[in-house]
């Protein structure tokens, strides 16, 4: 067996509240990000991801104060993303208590940012998040919270991110986001086969078997989900027991 597969609740934060949408739009409130984080930590989540979802679009800095509050309350690793454009942003968030940072739009605009983060803080700190949509048989990358199409293709950009020093790829299928029909397992499997760094699956969790499929068909190293956890549709302890019964190595 390799490393245990990770279950990662994702908290999208807007205006200090956790929100969740479908296909990156139609947001609804889901609770206090710090209290939710504490509950997930107690329930057995392996890690958390906090995304300031309008930071890049609105051109402002990420929510350092929430990061400090989260760090004071939880004892599992957490990643922070949104509005990270330079090393000073990374340093501020790490100093506030984050374990890793997730870069997306800024890395597409300036790929050197990945090299700089990896050299200064180590590859383990740098998660390259990629939002992509399937168009005419090709996965095309988007930036600014899914609002802006780019000319980058999923696999070539993921490979470049790895070469530049990213420690993980967080791949979100925009087509699957919030619709709860399962992850984009074919694309995940291609990434897993072609890359050597861990792949985090995001977008599409609706039932426990979707997590199993992400790990078996999609060969993902971790599975991220939001609404099924926020609204109590799936409980993390039950999910982990289910996965263990399906011979998937998870930490109980």
């Amino acid at each position: 067996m390799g490393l245990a597969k990770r279950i990662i609740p994702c908290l999208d934060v807007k205006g200090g509240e956790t929100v969740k949408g479908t296909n990156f739009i139609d947001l609804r409130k889901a609770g206090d990000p710090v209290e939710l984080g504490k509950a997930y930590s107690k329930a057995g989540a392996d890690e958390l991801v906090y995304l300031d979802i309008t930071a890049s679009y609105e051109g402002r800095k990420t929510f350092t104060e929430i990061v400090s509050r989260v760090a004071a309350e939880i004892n599992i690793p957490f990643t922070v993303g949104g509005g990270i454009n330079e090393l000073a942003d990374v340093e501020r968030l790490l100093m506030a208590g984050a374990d890793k940072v997730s870069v997306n739009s800024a890395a597409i605009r300036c790929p050197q940012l990945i090299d700089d983060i990896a050299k200064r803080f180590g590859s383990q700190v740098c998660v390259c998040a990629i939002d992509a949509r399937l168009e005419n048989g090709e996965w095309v990358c988007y930036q600014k919270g899914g609002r802006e199409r780019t000319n980058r293709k999923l696999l070539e950009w993921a490979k470049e991110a790895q070469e530049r020093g990213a420690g993980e790829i967080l791949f979100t299928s925009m087509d699957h986001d919030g619709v709860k029909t399962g992850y984009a397992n074919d694309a995940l499997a291609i990434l897993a086969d072609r890359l050597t760094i861990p792949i985090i699956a995001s977008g599409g969790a609706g039932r426990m078997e979707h997590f199993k499929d992400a790990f078996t068909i999609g060969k993902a190293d971790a599975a991220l989900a939001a609404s099924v956890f926020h609204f109590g549709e799936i409980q993390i302890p039950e999910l982990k027991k289910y996965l263990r019964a399906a011979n998937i190595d998870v930490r109980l």
Side-chain angles (χ1 to χ4, degrees), residues 106-207:
I108 287 179
R109 280 196 309 275
C110 177
Q112 180 67 31
L113 180 62
I114 296 173
D115 304 69
D116 294 345
I117 294 171
K119 285 191 185 108
R120 176 83 172 272
F121 304 106
S123 287
Q124 79 283 351
V125 162
C126 185
V127 179
C128 182
I130 304 177
D131 300 330
R133 195 186 286 282
L134 190 60
E135 298 176 3
N136 301 317
E138 279 195 308
W139 285 92
V140 179
C141 302
Y142 278 70
Q143 62 181 359
K144 296 195 177 172
R147 291 173 176 85
E148 203 171 280
R149 190 182 189 277
T150 75
N151 60 0
R152 303 303 305 253
K153 303 299 186 290
L154 170 63
L155 182 59
E156 53 97 0
W157 172 229
K159 277 174 148 174
E160 182 180 333
Q162 173 179 276
E163 285 158 13
R164 287 178 176 277
E168 295 180 278
I169 299 293
L170 166 54
F171 163 53
T172 301
S173 164
M174 294 173 64
D175 302 310
H176 294 71
D177 175 63
V179 296
K180 302 185 180 178
T181 54
Y183 293 92
N185 293 315
D186 292 346
L188 286 166
I190 290 167
L191 290 172
D193 287 339
R194 306 279 180 87
L195 275 62
T196 56
I197 58 176
I199 309 297
I200 304 169
S202 169
R207 302 196 304 271

Side-chain angles (χ1 to χ4, degrees), residues 2-245:
L3 292 170
K5 304 293 189 183
R6 290 170 286 149
I7 300 298
I8 307 177
C10 179
L11 298 93
D12 293 342
V13 179
K14 182 182 181 188
E17 287 196 274
T18 311
V19 295
K20 183 63 194 117
T22 303
N23 302 128
F24 282 44
I25 55 172
D26 298 330
L27 302 177
R28 58 177 173 151
K29 293 177 182 177
D32 177 76
V34 181
E35 293 304 315
L36 271 175
K38 278 168 66 177
Y40 291 143
S41 179
K42 286 180 185 161
D46 298 295
E47 296 181 21
L48 298 173
V49 169
Y50 283 89
L51 298 177
D52 189 347
I53 58 168
T54 56
S56 292
Y57 176 62
E58 294 172 0
R60 63 188 162 72
K61 301 299 184 186
T62 309
F63 45 167
T64 315
E65 186 225 342
I66 287 178
V67 173
S68 300
R69 286 170 52 215
V70 170
E73 297 282 359
I74 72 165
N75 56 7
I76 57 174
F78 71 100
T79 301
V80 176
I84 296 168
N85 296 301
E86 56 190 6
L87 286 181
D89 297 329
V90 180
E91 190 156 25
R92 188 178 72 254
L93 293 165
L94 295 178
M95 291 290 288
D99 298 278
K100 309 179 204 178
V101 295
S102 166
V103 289
N104 187 335
S105 303
I108 287 179
R109 280 196 309 275
C110 177
Q112 180 67 31
L113 180 62
I114 296 173
D115 304 69
D116 294 345
I117 294 171
K119 285 191 185 108
R120 176 83 172 272
F121 304 106
S123 287
Q124 79 283 351
V125 162
C126 185
V127 179
C128 182
I130 304 177
D131 300 330
R133 195 186 286 282
L134 190 60
E135 298 176 3
N136 301 317
E138 279 195 308
W139 285 92
V140 179
C141 302
Y142 278 70
Q143 62 181 359
K144 296 195 177 172
R147 291 173 176 85
E148 203 171 280
R149 190 182 189 277
T150 75
N151 60 0
R152 303 303 305 253
K153 303 299 186 290
L154 170 63
L155 182 59
E156 53 97 0
W157 172 229
K159 277 174 148 174
E160 182 180 333
Q162 173 179 276
E163 285 158 13
R164 287 178 176 277
E168 295 180 278
I169 299 293
L170 166 54
F171 163 53
T172 301
S173 164
M174 294 173 64
D175 302 310
H176 294 71
D177 175 63
V179 296
K180 302 185 180 178
T181 54
Y183 293 92
N185 293 315
D186 292 346
L188 286 166
I190 290 167
L191 290 172
D193 287 339
R194 306 279 180 87
L195 275 62
T196 56
I197 58 176
I199 309 297
I200 304 169
S202 169
R207 302 196 304 271
M208 288 198 277
E209 51 263 47
H210 294 155
F211 290 85
K212 180 184 72 155
D213 292 345
F215 294 136
T216 54
I217 303 166
K219 306 179 189 176
D221 299 276
L224 178 146
S227 58
V228 290
F229 296 141
H230 299 340
F231 303 116
E233 294 157 42
I234 293 176
Q235 302 296 328
I236 292 170
E238 281 69 43
L239 173 60
K240 287 195 161 187
K241 285 177 195 153
Y242 166 84
L243 292 170
R244 181 62 74 85

